[in-house]
Each structure stands twice: as structure tokens, then as C-alpha cells.
Amino acid sequence: DMPRHPTKRLRHTSSVRRHTKAEDGANGQIFSQKRCISWFREYTTADEPDMLGPEGMEKFCEDIGVEPENVVMLVLAYKMNARQMGFFTMTEWLKGLSDLQCDSIAKVQQKMDHLRNLLNDQHIFKGIYRYAYDFARQDKDQRSMDMETARVMLQLLLGKHWPLFSQFAKFLDQSKYKVINKDQWCNILEFSRTINDDLSNYDLDGAWPVMLDEFVEWLKVQQHGEGASQMDTRIS
Amino acid sequence: MSLKPKVVDFGQTWNILQETVKGVITLADVPRATWNDRFSDVYSLCVAYPEPLADRLYSETENFLDNHVTQLLDKVKLQGENGLLQAYHRAWTEYSQGINYLHQLYLYLNQQHIKKQKLTEAEIIYGTSSAASPEYQEQKEIGELGLYIWKNKMIESLKNSLVSLLLEGIHADRLGEAQRATTDVICGVIESFVRVEEYKTKGQLHLYQEIFESSFLKQSGEFYSREASELLQQSDVTRYMERVTWRLSQEELRGHKFLHITSVPKVRQCCEEKMVAAHVAWLHTEVDAMIENERRKDLSLIYPLLRPLPSGLVHLVQKFTQHITNEGLQAIGSLQGENVHTQFVESMLAVHSKYSELIKDLFKGDQAFIGALDKACSAVANHKSTPRQSARAPELLAKYCDSLLKKSAKLASESEIEEKLTRSITVFKYVDDKDIFQKFYARMLAKRLIHQQSQSMDAEEAMIDRLKQACGYEFTNKLHRMFTDMSVSSDLNTKFTASLREREGENHQFGIGFVVYVLQAGAWPLGLPPSPGPFHVPQQLEKSVQTFESFYHAQFSGRKLTWLHHLCQGELKLNYLKKPYLVTVQTYQMALLLLFEHCDSISCKEAAASLRLSYDQLVKHAISLVDCKILKKSSKGNLEEDSILTLNFDYYNKRTKFRITGALHRDAPHDTEATHRSVDDDRKLYLQAAIVRIMKSRKILRHNQLVQEVLGQSKVTFAPSIGMIKKCIENLIDKQYIERTSNSADEYSYVA
């Protein structure tokens, strides 16, 4: 899990375990499960001591200085393998934070860059992307994800890196699709990775889900339409 | 004469023998006795003692023939250019015959001496030690030897002059300037080129091809090219093709007259190349107009010209397909009116038979054109005016069949109807969406059967058999079951009546006649009765309905009966009018009329309540009775809830027995739509089943292969769109029957 270009500070913290206790100083001690659990309890209530809910989540985010809708929160959830957005169970918390060797606010904050860097690894990103589908789904009994959630999650995951994202979002808005299934979800990532922005390498006879066929058709009409209207303005 | 080997004086014997040889080779008169003696001399020399003299005899004979041919050559040469062909021909005629005789005179030498030392075929192929040395000169039988010498001496030295004279002669023949005598000479000379090598086991035609045929083809090719370009300048395409056709046949005749048989196809090919292939681009441009205007003569001329060229017909076939498609679309494009279905099918058949005839007449029934016709017809039959719409053919064709199978006033003979139905199969075969046809057909068949509107049950059955032949058992399975239900039901009714008689004696009557059809829900395309049910069965029918139900359940326990009253009808006798009438009405109408048993008028609201029909339905049925004047309504406009329906006591009709058409018999437009929708659902199920079947047996398959296999399986009954197949695939991925493999994006694997 070593970040590819660790800063000096990160290298320092990641080698924490090799330091002697005396050298650790204020920066922290060796990871303690007990400390980790008691930290968890700071965010839970007496009614449900083993479940960190929306209110606890808000406080947790505030403590570590990250907005809840920041993508890094998704990576953290991925690390914990959290089942439901907005909630951490104690088991999930303990698993994720033991892996990261974090038992305090300061330690998690130090891991932030590392967590962000995970997004740059193609393979891990794919894992996070696929995880996000199950994580963000409201109703786990339904196999598909409602379009509103899908839009938000796609924006979060692909919004910055996929030049066609805004077009795709527009397409979804005008389409008849109310939900997205997992196959469509996974193929949107493949599409964003493999298809040129001018669509020149898209094969309509290929195995792409019909939704993406329709997107390509739609986009071609849009682009053609734009071209035509430009022509019109030039003539007038 | 003794056959025993003896001492022979070679010189003496040869001198005598040589005289006779000279006589034989020049066809002089050789007496029988002399012939016999010399024949024996050949024998004696071959078996001479102490040494056989066969080799010496061979070499002396060779020398002799050599000299003889040299002398002949000089003689021929003396005749000069003008008489060369004739002189050569004369010498050849004599020599070829003479050498034949000489061959027989040397029979013993040939048979015993030369044949034995000849290499066998196996030795030629695999090689022997003796044949290995290049100097080895095999001895030839005397006949062969004579021809060999002729070839080397005579032909080798004269070939150039001979061939150019031959070519001139044949050219003159082409121009019609040849004389009969020269023709024979030319034939003879050409034949000599073949004959001198006939004894060879392989490469027999080598000499002929090398010295004559190649030059001949070259010269002919030049002639054809010249003629073609002259024709092009002078004549239109028709004249041109006529001339080329004529030229081809002429050259074929000429080939048979002068040439070796193997040259004939080469000449034809050469002529085709120079006169057709070289100008094929121009011919193709002419083809467009020929087809456009259906110039039969031109088409019949161009077909045999283009056919021999490699892929020569492609353009013609393409244009032809396009033309038929256009004609077909035009024929069905502007159909209007009540009997669109008849116009549609008959126009399609007219187009089909017109072009089938044309293909038979002009293109000799060529498969390529039959294929073109099929392609065009299927394009026409499956034409969609907009891509979203489905083709009209399935529905129209089903309607057409319905109109033929239904009882109608039009008196068409049974055989005429049979023939039309048989012909309709031609159109049926072109229809892609056979499942849609089947849905419509089933609906119409159901109506015919339930309302006893079929013209003849035999005709119905024959038609189902035709469909079965065209499309298989699966396709007509439901139709067959519908058919069987009818006959089973008639048995059931007999049993029912019998059981009643048994139980209640002769006075079992309900006071009404009663016939029930029991139809399997799975086979019949019948809708459930309109809600809200249950419809209140008129009291007069109640008893019979109940009795039948208990009878049926006693017979088949566990089966569920659903009454489809909206499809039933009854006959009512109207006794309250001046004369009695017998009216056939739909059950709801009957129920409504029966309400008037106890009163003369009733409000719509009340009527609806007591029949337990929705208000809309009541109005629908009431209007039909008002329209035919059996009932009267109180208000002028539409029937309102409080409108009063009154029995019309002044009703009059010329006929005493008639039917009131209910809303049922008119085909509502949503019927068509519903049919298309249910076809779509069936297709999705069919495709998903097919995909699962294929994936189950193949485990892993690429996207395109899967699509191809699905298309292959479904083409018997319909042509699914790729989009539909893809959606079904996605559906199955979602349901986790299959999944995308991790190594490739367009590959699926079966999830067990």
C-alpha cells in the first residue's frame, strides 16, 4: 500500500513501527486496537454502541477535517469495506483502521494523501468504482441503483477525469432510464477508459450495453446538430 | 515356310524388302503374295541366326524413311508459296496412309522387338538405370517412327509458312471468301499437326498448340477486337449484342469445322474476352436502362454474354434486385380502402409471378436471379415505412387468409379459394415476422371457430397444414390445438346432453338450447372478460351454466372453467311484435333484452346494476340495440345514466331471422397494438431462452458469435433486431444467468 511518490513526511510516518517508543514522541504510539475502539465509541450512542450513524459520521468528518462528500471518504469506506453509505459498523471500522494502522485523528489525517493516491492506481480505482455501486445503493434488496444516486456517484468518480462526463450526464437526464444496473455501471467505467472522446473507436455492433449504444447515437446527433446550427449561423 | 531361326543374308533380304517398303509408302500396288513374303522376311531378320538382325533392320528402315521424307519435302517446296498447302496436304495424305500400312508390315518387329524394350509407364515415372543416360535413344514402332520423322523433317522446316497460310485461309473463311476445296485442305493440314503426335502418351497436343493454336488465338483475338470497336462505332447496344452473339455462334461452328475439339472453348473464351469483357463497363451502363424499361430482348441477349465472365452477372443481378424491389414497393405503396389486405397480397403475387416468368423466359431460370427475386420480395414484404413501425405484411396476410376462409356472400368456388390460399404461402415465406403473422392468424382463426364463421373446416385444416409445411410443427402447434378443441367440445356436448337425459329423463330441458365450447387457455388467444366481473348471468341461463359446470368437474376434476361470456352469443325469439323474429345477439345484448321480460322500459343505470356490467360496457351494447331499432332511448344525444331504454313495439324487419352485430365483431385498433405487444413479449422470452440454451452448451462465447447463433435460431419465425438481442443479454447478465468474462469485454460466460 506504499504510495508511489511518498513525501518525506509520509515516509516518516509509514515507517513508524520501526521507531522505538521513545522516538515516537507526540506524533503517536504504536497502533492500539483498544485506543481505536474507544475512539470509535466517541461517535456512537449508548443505544447503538457498535454502529456509527449519520450524526457520528458528521462529527468524524469534522474531526478529521474532510467534507462528507469528498471522494477520499469513499476510499476510506472502501478500506473498511463498509456496507452502507453513512454508516460504519465497529467491525468495519476496526478492520479498515487496523489496515491503515490508525487509532487517532492525527494518524488518519496523515494517511489522507495515501488514500487519495490509491485513486491513481488503475486497478485499485476499478475496485473502488465497483465497490461504490454496492455501497451507495439505498435499497440493498433491489439489484439496481436509482438514477439520482448514480448521477452523484458518477460525478464523484468520473466527473473530473472523463471529458465526456457532462455529456453523459445530459444524456441520462433526457433518457427514459430510471435506474442503472451493475453491468451498465461497470461498462461506463470501461467506456470512459477505452473510448476516444471523438467516439471513433466505438463499435456499435460490440458488446456494449444498449444504454451506451444509445448514448453514442445521441451524442452523434448532438454533435451533428451543433455542426448544422453553426452552419446555419454562418449562412445567415 | 518354317518359323525356325535360320541364317539370313541381310543385304540381300533388305534389298528386296526395301522395294516393297517403297511401294507401300507410296501406296503403289503391292500384290498379296509379295506382301506375305515380305512380312515373313521381317520375321526372319528379327529371329536370324546366329545374331538377330532386328536392330539393323530398324536403322535401315529409319534411313529409308528419312530419305523418303526428305525427297517429299523437296517436292512440296517446289510447289512454291501458292501451292504449298495443297502439296503438303497431298503428300501428307499419301504418307500418313502409307506409314500406316508399313506399320502393319513390320508387325513382328513392332510387337516382338520394340515393344519389349520399351519402357513401361512405371519405369518412365520412377526412372530406370538405362533411361538415366541422356544418349539413350528409344526405338519406336515403325508407325511412330514414320510420324516422328515427318514431324522433324517436314513440319519443322515448313511450319512458319504453313501456319501463316492456314491463318490466311481461316481468315478468308471468316470473311466468307473461302472455297470448299481449301476448307478440306486446311482441315487436313491442321489435323496433321495433331496426328503426328497422337502416339505419345502425354503432351499429345503439344505440337498443335505450340505451332498453330497459339498463333491462331492471337490472330483471332485481334480480329475480334477490331470487329468489336468497329461495331461500337456503328451500332447501338442491341445491334452490338446481336452481332456478338452471332459471332460467338459462328466461331463455335468454325472451331468445330477446322480445329481440334479442345480449341473450341478457348476460341469462345477469347472471343468473349475481346468482345464482351473488354467492353463490360459500357455494357453495365447500358444494363441500367434495359432493366429500368424491362427491355426483354436486350436482357435476353445480354444474359448469355455476361454469364460466362467471372462474376459477370453481379451487376445485372444487383440492378435486377433493385428494380423488383422498387416495383414491389410501388405496387404496395399506395394501397387504400377496405380490402387493403387483398390488394397487398395480390399485388405482391403479381410482382412475384411477373418476375418469375421473366427469369424463366430471359434468364433460363438462373439461380442467381431467383435469389435476386427472393431478396427483393422479402425486402418488399418486410418494408417498414418508418423504422419504428413493424412491417404490415404479417397482419395483412393473416387478414387475407381470414377473408378467404370466412363465410362470405361472395361466391368463390372452393378450388379458387384453395388456389389463392396456396399462393398466399409464397408471400408467407418472404415474411420475416412469422410470429406476428401467427398471432394475427390465431386470433382470426379463434373468431372464425367460435362464431362458426368458417367457410369449410377442410379448408381451415388444409391451410394449417400448409403453414406447418412451411414453418414446422412448433409454429402451428397452437393452431392445431384450437382445432382439436372444437371437435373435443362437440363430443363433450353430446355427452352432456346424454347425461342430462339419463339423469332427468326426457323432460330435462332448461327450456333453451345450450352449446358450450371448452377451450384450453394456453392455446387460444382469448382475452378475459372485461372487468368488473362477474357478469350477472341471466336467470334463464343460470341453471344450464351450473349443470354444465358440475358435469364438467365430475369428468375432469382439477380443471378450472372460466366463462367467457363476452365471446358468447344466443338466439332470442321475439314474440311481442306483429310477427315473430329470431335474432342472434351477443350474450350481454341478450342479457339486456331479457331484462324486458318483466318491464317495457328501464334506465341505463338500473340495467347496468342488475347485469353487473360497467356503465361503459352497457352503453356500448345498448347502442347497438338502439341503432338497430329494437330498443328506443328517451334522450336525443348520447346515452346518459338516467336515459331510459324502452322496448320498440313497432319494430319491423323484412327478414325474420337476422344477426345484430355487436361491438365485438368490429376490430378495434387497440387489438392490433395488443397483438404486437404480446408478440414482443413472446420474442423476449424466446430470445432469452435461446441465449441461455446456447450459453449453457458453449460455456464461453464472444458477443458476435452469440448474436449470430441467436439470429440463426430465431430466423425461422422472426428476425430480431440486434438491439433486442443485446437487451436480452443484458437482462440475463442482470439476472446472473451469464456474466462478462474478466479477460475480455465482449465475451460472456455461462453462470452455472
Side-chain angles (χ1 to χ4, degrees):
Chain A
D1 280 1
M2 282 277 287
R4 249 178 290 170
H5 306 291
T7 61
K8 271 184 186 166
R9 188 168 57 91
L10 270 172
R11 195 180 298 144
H12 176 71
T13 44
S14 59
S15 52
V16 143
R17 260 179 295 174
R18 278 188 271 117
H19 291 262
T20 64
K21 215 172 188 179
E23 280 171 325
D24 281 335
N27 215 352
Q29 305 100 326
I30 286 175
F31 174 79
S32 142
Q33 200 162 344
K34 209 170 144 198
R35 193 157 44 237
C36 193
I37 292 172
S38 66
W39 184 31
F40 178 77
R41 298 262 194 255
E42 286 175 33
Y43 303 114
T44 60
T45 57
D47 300 343
E48 261 189 303
D50 291 342
M51 174 66 91
L52 191 158
E55 275 173 38
M57 193 65 75
E58 209 173 306
K59 186 161 177 291
F60 173 65
C61 290
E62 207 175 292
D63 285 351
I64 60 172
V66 173
E67 321 80 67
E69 57 277 1
N70 193 313
V71 69
V72 80
M73 284 306 289
L74 181 64
V75 184
L76 191 61
Y78 167 74
K79 275 287 178 191
M80 293 186 188
N81 195 19
R83 186 169 171 273
Q84 177 73 58
M85 186 148 56
F87 298 89
F88 293 144
T89 66
M90 178 143 93
T91 337
E92 289 162 358
W93 172 278
L94 208 52
K95 184 211 168 273
L97 293 186
S98 319
D99 279 1
L100 290 166
Q101 294 286 304
C102 293
D103 53 14
S104 67
I105 295 171
K107 282 185 183 172
V108 167
Q109 281 175 332
Q110 279 170 354
K111 283 282 181 192
M112 281 302 160
D113 282 347
H114 163 70
L115 291 173
R116 274 196 196 89
N117 270 325
L118 290 179
L119 292 166
N120 296 330
D121 181 307
Q122 288 260 326
H123 189 70
I124 297 174
F125 182 82
K126 191 170 175 175
I128 294 171
Y129 181 90
R130 290 189 169 214
Y131 161 78
Y133 182 81
D134 294 317
F135 174 64
R137 229 147 14 106
Q138 301 294 331
D139 187 351
K140 305 287 186 204
D141 297 333
Q142 292 284 320
R143 267 206 304 274
S144 43
M145 179 191 263
D146 68 279
M147 194 51 83
E148 207 178 319
T149 315
R151 282 274 322 258
V152 174
M153 294 309 286
L154 286 172
Q155 166 79 54
L156 191 65
L157 287 156
L158 301 177
K160 283 190 192 128
H161 303 289
W162 183 28
L164 291 180
F165 173 77
S166 62
Q167 306 273 34
F168 186 69
K170 254 189 230 162
F171 162 76
L172 288 180
D173 287 344
Q174 59 82 50
S175 79
K176 60 191 186 312
Y177 288 99
K178 301 268 185 291
V179 291
I180 274 190
N181 66 33
K182 184 147 190 182
D183 186 55
Q184 290 163 337
W185 175 265
C186 295
N187 275 283
I188 293 169
L189 175 66
E190 288 309 311
F191 186 100
S192 76
R193 285 183 168 180
T194 54
I195 299 304
N196 301 340
D197 295 343
D198 62 358
L199 306 174
S200 54
N201 60 344
Y202 188 82
D203 177 10
L204 271 176
D205 294 330
W208 295 108
V210 175
M211 174 194 266
L212 289 167
D213 289 343
E214 287 168 356
F215 169 56
V216 168
E217 294 280 297
W218 176 85
L219 191 54
K220 279 180 179 164
V221 171
Q222 294 299 109
Q223 287 168 348
H224 183 77
E226 265 171 39
S229 64
Q230 274 169 12
M231 288 279 281
D232 287 345
T233 50
R234 231 173 290 148
I235 289 163
S236 62
Chain B
M1 163 196 147
S2 154
L3 292 176
K4 217 175 114 192
K6 57 189 177 208
V7 180
V8 186
D9 176 358
F10 183 82
Q12 195 186 357
T13 315
W14 170 245
N15 273 342
I16 301 167
L17 181 57
Q18 195 178 357
E19 278 312 302
T20 308
V21 167
K22 193 179 285 174
V24 168
I25 202 81
T26 54
L27 303 182
D29 188 27
V30 178
R32 170 66 64 183
T34 320
W35 173 275
N36 288 344
D37 290 346
R38 296 300 83 77
F39 191 87
S40 317
D41 286 345
V42 171
Y43 171 77
S44 316
L45 288 170
C46 288
V47 299
Y49 181 84
E51 280 293 318
L53 300 167
D55 286 342
R56 240 179 115 188
L57 173 62
Y58 181 84
S59 68
E60 284 301 333
T61 309
E62 190 177 3
N63 283 340
F64 171 82
L65 288 173
D66 212 79
N67 285 333
H68 180 67
V69 174
T70 312
Q71 279 166 27
L72 283 176
L73 175 62
D74 291 343
K75 250 205 259 171
V76 169
K77 274 185 176 162
L78 270 181
Q79 297 299 314
E81 197 69 348
N82 282 337
L84 187 68
L85 275 185
Q86 279 78 2
Y88 171 87
H89 182 239
R90 227 177 296 121
W92 162 253
T93 316
E94 181 193 282
Y95 182 81
S96 60
Q97 235 177 314
I99 199 71
N100 222 352
Y101 292 134
L102 194 66
H103 185 72
Q104 288 163 35
L105 186 68
Y106 277 69
L107 186 68
Y108 189 81
L109 180 80
N110 291 337
Q111 296 282 351
Q112 299 304 317
H113 185 68
I114 294 168
K115 270 215 174 125
K116 272 183 193 150
Q117 51 151 318
K118 259 198 170 170
L119 297 175
T120 65
E121 209 155 316
E123 283 167 332
I124 292 168
I125 294 168
Y126 299 112
T128 59
S129 49
S130 58
S133 67
E135 309 95 68
Y136 174 76
Q137 263 276 310
E138 194 185 53
Q139 287 187 346
K140 295 175 166 56
E141 290 176 43
I142 296 306
E144 297 173 2
L145 179 67
L147 293 174
Y148 178 75
I149 291 169
W150 179 271
K151 184 183 91 180
N152 285 347
K153 280 255 139 41
M154 196 65 131
I155 296 181
E156 271 306 313
S157 47
L158 291 179
K159 64 182 181 191
N160 290 339
S161 330
L162 282 176
V163 167
S164 70
L165 287 169
L166 287 172
L167 295 182
E168 257 171 51
I170 295 176
H171 187 65
D173 186 70
R174 269 190 190 125
L175 301 178
E177 293 161 2
Q179 287 134 16
R180 175 97 188 94
T182 23
T183 305
D184 289 342
V185 172
I186 292 171
C187 289
V189 176
I190 293 175
E191 201 196 350
S192 77
F193 298 158
V194 178
R195 285 268 311 277
V196 293
E197 297 216 308
E198 239 165 14
Y199 64 86
K200 284 191 172 179
T201 43
K202 55 182 183 182
Q204 283 175 326
L205 292 174
H206 187 254
L207 180 77
Y208 163 77
Q209 286 166 348
E210 190 188 79
I211 67 170
F212 173 74
E213 192 190 51
S214 56
S215 316
F216 173 74
L217 288 176
K218 187 159 166 276
Q219 188 231 25
S220 301
E222 282 159 11
F223 173 80
Y224 303 141
S225 294
R226 215 162 40 240
E227 184 169 49
S229 55
E230 276 162 22
L231 279 172
L232 275 175
Q233 283 169 6
Q234 296 160 4
S235 38
D236 63 0
V237 69
T238 311
R239 174 95 186 109
Y240 181 82
M241 292 190 300
E242 278 171 348
R243 281 294 295 184
V244 173
T245 310
W246 176 82
R247 173 56 70 200
L248 278 165
S249 70
Q250 285 298 304
E251 289 300 293
E252 177 128 13
L253 288 177
R254 187 164 292 113
H256 282 294
K257 189 160 76 177
F258 290 123
L259 309 176
H260 188 259
I261 189 81
T262 55
S263 298
V264 176
K266 292 184 193 168
V267 172
R268 186 180 180 85
Q269 201 193 350
C270 172
C271 187
E272 280 162 359
E273 198 175 290
K274 303 295 180 193
M275 304 194 83
V276 185
H279 303 289
V280 76
W282 168 67
L283 286 172
H284 279 170
T285 59
E286 293 286 330
V287 157
D288 300 6
M290 284 179 211
I291 287 183
E292 196 61 42
N293 306 314
E294 294 183 15
R295 281 162 23 202
R296 296 176 68 95
K297 185 181 167 195
D298 286 354
L299 289 172
S300 71
L301 280 170
I302 202 165
Y303 167 71
L305 294 182
L306 291 179
R307 195 191 43 186
L309 306 189
S311 57
L313 289 176
V314 172
H315 182 80
L316 187 56
V317 168
Q318 231 168 41
K319 283 284 158 195
F320 193 61
T321 315
Q322 238 167 51
H323 178 66
I324 304 176
T325 312
N326 291 341
E327 292 288 304
L329 289 178
Q330 212 163 18
I332 63 158
S334 54
L335 300 181
Q336 274 176 344
E338 270 294 290
N339 59 341
V340 170
H341 50 275
T342 312
Q343 295 173 41
F344 174 81
V345 175
E346 282 169 7
S347 318
M348 281 234 41
L349 285 172
V351 169
H352 184 266
S353 64
K354 175 181 170 187
Y355 290 102
S356 305
E357 282 296 310
L358 192 138
I359 290 169
K360 212 163 73 192
D361 293 350
L362 307 185
F363 304 142
K364 304 199 168 87
D366 191 315
Q367 272 305 317
F369 289 92
I370 292 175
L373 176 63
D374 286 346
K375 204 169 146 196
C377 284
S378 121
V380 174
N382 299 301
H383 175 74
K384 299 173 180 180
S385 33
T386 60
R388 298 248 155 197
Q389 263 176 346
S390 40
R392 290 191 307 166
E395 184 181 354
L396 294 177
L397 185 61
K399 266 200 187 143
Y400 179 72
C401 297
D402 186 54
S403 71
L404 291 173
L405 288 164
K406 225 192 300 237
K407 274 182 200 159
S408 71
K410 273 179 261 161
L411 287 171
S413 76
E414 209 161 291
S415 63
E416 205 176 308
I417 290 176
E418 284 290 296
E419 196 213 309
K420 282 187 173 180
L421 287 171
T422 308
R423 277 161 60 79
S424 73
I425 292 290
T426 309
V427 180
F428 173 71
K429 283 181 177 159
Y430 290 123
V431 169
D432 277 345
D433 299 328
K434 295 201 171 60
D435 54 345
I436 297 183
F437 168 84
Q438 193 235 36
K439 274 269 154 57
F440 279 109
Y441 191 89
R443 280 188 183 209
M444 292 170 193
L445 174 64
K447 270 183 198 157
R448 288 198 299 275
L449 292 179
I450 292 174
H451 301 297
Q452 289 135 19
Q453 285 171 329
S454 281
Q455 181 103 297
S456 120
M457 289 313 244
D458 290 346
E460 292 281 5
E461 199 158 15
M463 188 60 197
I464 294 176
D465 279 342
R466 283 188 204 104
L467 294 173
K468 185 160 96 182
Q469 265 176 19
C471 238
Y473 168 76
E474 197 86 12
F475 185 76
T476 51
N477 184 14
K478 282 187 180 174
L479 306 180
H480 271 298
R481 276 163 65 194
M482 287 163 69
F483 221 76
T484 326
D485 276 354
M486 294 311 281
S487 55
V488 170
S489 291
S490 119
D491 289 351
L492 197 68
N493 279 299
T494 320
K495 269 193 208 161
F496 176 54
T497 327
S499 85
L500 282 183
R501 197 172 290 135
E502 207 173 276
R503 213 175 56 197
E504 302 181 26
E506 279 309 313
N507 49 359
H508 67 277
Q509 297 299 335
F510 307 116
I512 55 165
F514 187 66
V515 177
V516 182
Y517 293 129
V518 180
L519 313 174
Q520 304 173 59
W524 290 72
L526 301 174
L528 289 173
S531 55
F535 154 71
H536 194 271
V537 180
Q539 181 207 334
Q540 292 87 338
L541 292 178
E542 232 166 57
K543 196 179 170 209
S544 23
V545 167
Q546 276 167 13
T547 323
F548 184 82
E549 275 185 353
S550 53
F551 162 79
Y552 190 79
H553 287 134
Q555 295 258 324
F556 310 96
S557 66
R559 288 197 192 171
K560 192 182 157 217
L561 277 181
T562 307
W563 293 91
L564 303 178
H565 290 296
H566 63 298
L567 298 175
C568 298
Q569 58 181 26
E571 262 182 10
L572 284 182
K573 197 166 179 190
L574 309 184
N575 286 321
Y576 57 90
L577 296 164
K578 287 195 185 96
K579 55 179 185 179
Y581 294 96
L582 208 56
V583 206
T584 308
V585 284
Q586 200 269 328
T587 310
Y588 293 153
Q589 292 172 330
M590 176 167 69
L592 178 59
L593 284 177
L594 284 173
L595 293 178
F596 292 91
E597 282 279 90
H598 307 292
C599 59
D600 294 342
S601 56
I602 191 168
S603 77
C604 285
K605 194 177 173 184
E606 268 178 277
S610 69
L611 297 181
R612 279 192 238 157
L613 284 176
S614 75
Y615 173 69
D616 287 345
Q617 282 168 48
L618 180 91
V619 166
K620 209 166 66 181
H621 296 295
I623 282 179
S624 61
L625 290 170
V626 169
D627 283 350
C628 72
K629 301 204 170 67
I630 290 181
L631 294 181
K632 291 190 290 190
K633 56 180 178 180
S634 59
S635 53
K636 277 275 169 193
N638 293 333
L639 283 174
E640 304 294 338
E641 285 212 354
D642 53 358
S643 302
I644 306 289
L645 297 166
T646 317
L647 211 51
N648 179 13
F649 286 97
D650 301 325
Y651 183 79
Y652 173 75
N653 195 331
K654 271 188 292 187
R655 293 158 65 178
T656 52
K657 192 173 176 203
F658 56 94
R659 166 190 295 272
I660 293 170
T661 17
L664 170 82
H665 296 297
R666 277 176 236 117
D667 245 332
H670 73 258
D671 237 23
T672 307
E673 219 173 277
T675 305
H676 280 292
R677 227 176 314 137
S678 84
V679 165
D680 245 27
D681 293 343
D682 286 356
R683 285 183 175 187
K684 279 177 194 152
L685 284 179
Y686 177 93
L687 290 176
Q688 292 192 7
I691 294 167
V692 170
R693 253 192 332 265
I694 293 166
M695 290 307 297
K696 193 171 180 181
S697 71
R698 304 292 219 88
K699 302 296 180 229
I700 289 182
L701 207 57
R702 297 193 78 82
H703 174 76
N704 285 333
Q705 279 173 296
L706 178 59
V707 169
Q708 285 313 315
E709 289 215 14
V710 172
L711 284 174
Q713 288 200 5
S714 58
K715 74 164 174 249
V716 190
T717 44
F718 66 104
S721 69
I722 306 291
M724 190 183 236
I725 298 177
K726 280 179 82 163
K727 275 192 182 142
C728 289
I729 293 175
E730 283 172 47
N731 223 313
L732 291 170
I733 292 177
D734 202 37
K735 290 191 207 152
Q736 296 174 353
Y737 280 91
I738 56 177
E739 61 188 14
R740 292 175 198 269
T741 60
S742 47
N743 52 344
S744 167
D746 63 349
E747 196 176 61
Y748 308 110
S749 68
Y750 181 69
V751 180

